[in-house]
Amino acid sequence: MWDRARLLAAKHQAGCPERAEGCPRCHLALAAALAIDVPATASLDEDDAPGEIVEPDAGSDRYAILNDLLPHAVVAVADAAVGDESAQCGYGWVCENGTTGHGASMAHSSGETEVIGICTAALGVLHRSLDSPIVILCDSLEAVTTVNRALETCDPAVAHRTVVFPEGRQLLANLMPYRDRVQVRWLKGHIGHDLNESADALAAVALRHATGRIPAAVARKEQAHILRTLRFAQSEPPTAA
């Protein structure tokens, strides 16, 4: 399956007219093509991460296959950053429909930081997408597992070992009423995924501002630059081969 996914992605990437826009929906066609060639008895190894995205091998390849993503799902990527010298953290999220969010919070670990980012992203997208299912991608397997366990049990308390501060627990509790509409998936980080890179950059700027390293005016300027770069990457016309 891994080899077939890599070959399909490489073949698709060579001639896709949507390549410059990041192929926002091409994973659906790739997944369908992959399913045709995978025997019904095929299964992932037991060590594979739950909800893992099957992706091509090359680190520079941006294509990832979500083989069961609903066609009308709204997808967003969340990321977070935590400082070494304080409990302050920054988070950022970017949705494929163009909406974004970022801010600062308190966290005792990188795991809790990412949980805060996931919850904030999910709630932000939910408030803008009243009926659609929501898929939040994050490159922290610990955070993805933690949030999914809370959603499955409808009990934020199961995350108590990862989420310590009251703010993070409240965000999880706020997400519980929407548990039937939210999926949280793992996404390999830093593979050239536009939304992932932008969410990471927004989180880093939010952290620098929260810890006093840059003033608010500089933070706003950097955040605006990140969003302009993202929109340019998404709207750039395909280049001739």
Side-chain angles (χ1 to χ4, degrees):
M1 182 182 290
W2 187 279
D3 290 339
R4 180 59 180 156
R6 183 170 62 250
L7 290 172
L8 276 172
K11 181 179 179 180
H12 172 83
Q13 187 177 9
C16 177
E18 304 294 332
R19 180 176 57 185
E21 297 182 3
C23 290
R25 290 297 183 187
C26 291
H27 53 264
L28 297 173
L30 288 169
L34 179 65
I36 294 174
D37 296 319
V38 176
T41 56
S43 62
L44 297 176
D45 295 336
E46 292 182 358
D47 293 334
D48 285 342
E52 182 173 348
I53 297 173
V54 181
E55 60 170 333
D57 186 40
S60 61
D61 199 324
R62 71 193 310 145
Y63 299 99
I65 297 175
L66 284 164
N67 60 7
D68 58 351
L69 186 64
L70 295 174
H72 55 292
V74 179
V75 180
V77 180
D79 209 342
V82 63
D84 296 329
E85 72 284 353
S86 75
Q88 288 280 2
C89 72
Y91 57 81
W93 58 269
V94 181
C95 183
E96 64 180 1
N97 65 14
T99 58
T100 66
H102 51 80
S105 185
M106 301 287 286
H108 86 294
S109 68
S110 60
E112 182 168 12
T113 302
E114 299 285 357
V115 169
I116 290 171
I118 290 173
C119 291
T120 305
L123 291 168
V125 176
L126 280 164
H127 292 159
R128 294 169 173 83
S129 305
L130 299 180
D131 300 317
S132 301
I134 306 300
V135 179
I136 305 297
L137 305 179
C138 177
D139 59 11
S140 168
L141 184 56
E142 177 189 3
V144 169
T145 302
T146 297
V147 176
N148 277 330
R149 188 177 296 121
L151 291 174
E152 290 166 3
T153 60
C154 197
D155 182 10
V158 302
H160 70 279
R161 292 186 178 180
T162 300
V163 183
V164 174
F165 284 9
E167 184 176 356
R169 295 187 179 187
Q170 185 60 55
L171 284 170
L172 270 175
N174 292 344
L175 196 58
M176 291 302 104
Y178 309 99
R179 57 192 293 264
D180 293 335
R181 289 180 54 201
V182 175
Q183 293 183 16
V184 182
R185 302 289 192 88
W186 179 77
L187 169 72
K188 183 176 177 64
H190 305 295
I191 58 171
H193 191 293
D194 288 339
L195 301 186
N196 178 243
E197 297 298 334
S198 297
D200 177 74
L202 286 172
V205 173
L207 174 63
R208 291 166 62 204
H209 177 226
T211 53
R213 296 180 181 179
I214 56 174
V218 174
R220 288 193 296 270
K221 181 181 293 186
E222 293 192 17
Q223 289 158 357
H225 174 72
I226 293 167
L227 298 182
R228 282 196 302 270
T229 302
L230 172 64
R231 295 186 182 108
F232 175 79
Q234 292 179 328
S235 61
E236 185 180 18
T239 56

